[in-house]
């Protein structure tokens, strides 16, 4: 089941400090009121284009939705973009998270990651082939 990604869902994923900074940024920059929606649409669109590039992907009809395996990575990219526009520094953990998100997205584009597969989870899993001696 795919999940809709909206500015509200992104705001609920923000840390309390970032949420407060974001609200203050909106007060200081009223012309930026719809910017988070634009960032969400851009990032979700990029993930959906990558997913759709694989002919085996069964796309969800809701244009703003992503499969569960993509949610954390899309959220990290959205927050990265937003913090950049807000001129806020990223922590080392946030930088690492956005690098992992970019690698994940690249994996979808190259079809190395079947992100809509039931076997894809939020954590890596490893299947070890049987040892020839055991066969």
């Amino acid at each position: 089941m795919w999940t809709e990604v909206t500015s509200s869902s992104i705001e609920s994923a923000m840390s309390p400090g970032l949420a407060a900074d974001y609200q203050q940024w909106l007060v200081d920059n009223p012309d930026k009121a719809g910017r988070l929606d634009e960032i969400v649409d851009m990032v979700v669109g990029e993930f959906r284009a990558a997913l759709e590039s694989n002919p085996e992907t069964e796309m969800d009809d809701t244009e703003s939705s992503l499969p569960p395996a993509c949610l954390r990575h899309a959220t990290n990219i959205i927050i990265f973009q937003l913090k950049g526009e807000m001129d806020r520094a990223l922590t080392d953990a946030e930088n690492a998270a956005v690098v992992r998100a970019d690698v994940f997205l690249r994996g979808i584009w190259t079809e190395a990651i079947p992100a809509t597969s039931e076997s894809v989870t939020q954590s890596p899993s490893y299947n070890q082939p049987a040892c020839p001696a055991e066969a």
Side-chain angles (χ1 to χ4, degrees):
M1 172 125 179
W2 291 31
T3 302
E4 193 169 6
V5 181
T6 64
S7 57
S8 295
S9 66
I10 297 302
E11 286 183 57
S12 69
M14 291 179 183
S15 68
L18 177 57
D21 287 349
Y22 173 64
Q23 293 303 319
Q24 185 60 52
W25 182 70
L26 291 176
V27 168
D28 296 342
N29 302 281
D31 59 315
K32 300 291 186 176
R35 186 62 184 135
L36 181 56
D37 290 323
E38 293 169 355
I39 294 170
V40 168
D41 290 346
M42 177 187 65
V43 172
V44 170
E46 186 173 7
F47 270 86
R48 287 182 64 88
L51 291 162
E52 198 167 24
S53 72
N54 182 341
E56 295 181 20
T57 301
E58 292 183 31
M59 298 296 292
D60 187 278
D61 291 336
T62 306
E63 289 296 317
S64 59
S65 66
L66 292 173
C70 297
L71 295 175
R72 176 173 47 98
H73 299 296
T75 299
N76 287 335
I77 292 172
I78 292 164
I79 288 175
F80 168 81
Q81 292 289 333
L82 181 65
K83 284 186 82 168
E85 291 196 22
M86 292 170 51
D87 200 27
R88 300 294 191 268
L90 293 171
T91 66
D92 289 341
E94 288 170 327
N95 275 319
V98 82
V99 167
R100 284 190 304 272
D102 284 338
V103 169
F104 181 84
L105 181 57
R106 188 176 326 123
I108 295 171
W109 276 113
T110 62
E111 297 181 16
I113 297 175
T116 58
S117 168
E118 294 295 323
S119 64
V120 175
T121 62
Q122 295 291 341
S123 301
S125 62
Y126 302 94
N127 294 326
Q128 186 173 6
C131 181
E134 294 175 5

